Amino acid sequence: LVKDHQYGFPIVDVKFHSTMRQVISTDTKIVKIWDRSNGKAFTAIEPGVDINDVCVEDRTGLILVAAEEPRIRSYFIPQLGPAPRWCHFLDNLTEELEEGKEPVVYDDYKFVTRDDLESLGLAHLIGTDLLRAYMHGFFIDLRLHQKAKALMEPFAYDAYRKQ
């Protein structure tokens, strides 16, 4: 099983959750949590700053992220496990916020703006099933985006190798 974070950065850390069958892999931009047997995406955490390290609290749903900022970011994911004993109030808080709707994971999609679509020559796809409108842009299938980018920049790989 091979997983790609799709950012082009090296993997910083890989952890295995002790009670769930999840793998937590991290590069400098994103923390991805996925099932270790089939590779299905569970969730992703994108803090917006460069990530240095990740700490997973054993047998709980707490994840601590050390990033390029003074504070440690903490994320609680109740589906991974209960809150640690020293912050039990999180369980009560999440019970109040629980909803029955499951979120949609766009793991195999790339977010692009209208300007990105025009530069790739894909602006004619606006309004079709190939793009999903979201906030100020669109989600496009990652394979389609990579093909369009390769066609628009045929010598990008050679330039990358020269770097």
Side-chain angles (χ1 to χ4, degrees):
L1 182 66
V2 176
K3 292 296 285 185
D4 186 5
H5 277 221
Q6 302 165 350
Y7 277 103
F9 297 113
I11 298 297
V12 173
D13 199 2
V14 175
K15 304 255 194 250
F16 296 93
H17 198 273
S18 60
T19 55
M20 298 292 289
R21 298 204 36 86
Q22 306 290 340
V23 175
I24 301 165
S25 57
T26 308
D27 66 15
T28 57
K29 295 291 179 193
I30 193 166
V31 177
K32 285 197 175 186
I33 303 172
W34 44 278
D35 189 275
R36 72 172 88 166
S37 60
N38 61 15
K40 184 178 177 190
F42 179 70
T43 191
I45 301 169
E46 197 168 359
V49 293
D50 286 351
I51 300 170
N52 294 327
D53 197 14
V54 171
C55 177
V56 179
E57 186 70 24
D58 197 30
R59 293 186 297 277
T60 70
L62 185 66
I63 297 176
L64 303 172
V65 177
E68 288 294 328
E69 61 183 355
R71 295 175 42 158
I72 300 289
R73 292 183 176 231
S74 57
Y75 298 93
F76 177 58
I77 303 172
Q79 291 86 353
L80 290 179
R85 287 187 4 220
W86 49 269
C87 59
H88 58 85
F89 64 90
L90 286 176
D91 281 328
N92 297 336
L93 192 70
T94 55
E95 284 177 13
E96 294 173 8
L97 297 174
E98 249 181 21
E99 295 179 15
K101 183 180 173 187
E102 290 187 24
V104 177
V105 178
Y106 291 106
D107 194 35
D108 295 329
Y109 290 86
K110 176 147 180 79
F111 181 81
V112 292
T113 63
R114 188 176 296 266
D115 294 336
D116 295 335
L117 288 173
E118 289 173 5
S119 68
L120 291 172
L122 298 176
H124 64 280
L125 296 178
I126 295 174
T128 65
D129 291 339
L130 295 173
L131 297 176
R132 295 182 187 184
Y134 183 75
M135 295 176 65
H136 63 280
F138 305 90
F139 279 110
I140 186 171
D141 186 270
L142 183 64
R143 295 169 297 186
L144 176 61
H145 180 266
Q146 289 173 340
K147 286 179 185 178
K149 191 170 182 181
L151 289 172
M152 293 305 291
E153 302 171 2
F155 301 107
Y157 181 70
D158 294 334
Y160 171 75
R161 286 189 59 191
K162 288 179 183 178
Q163 287 180 345

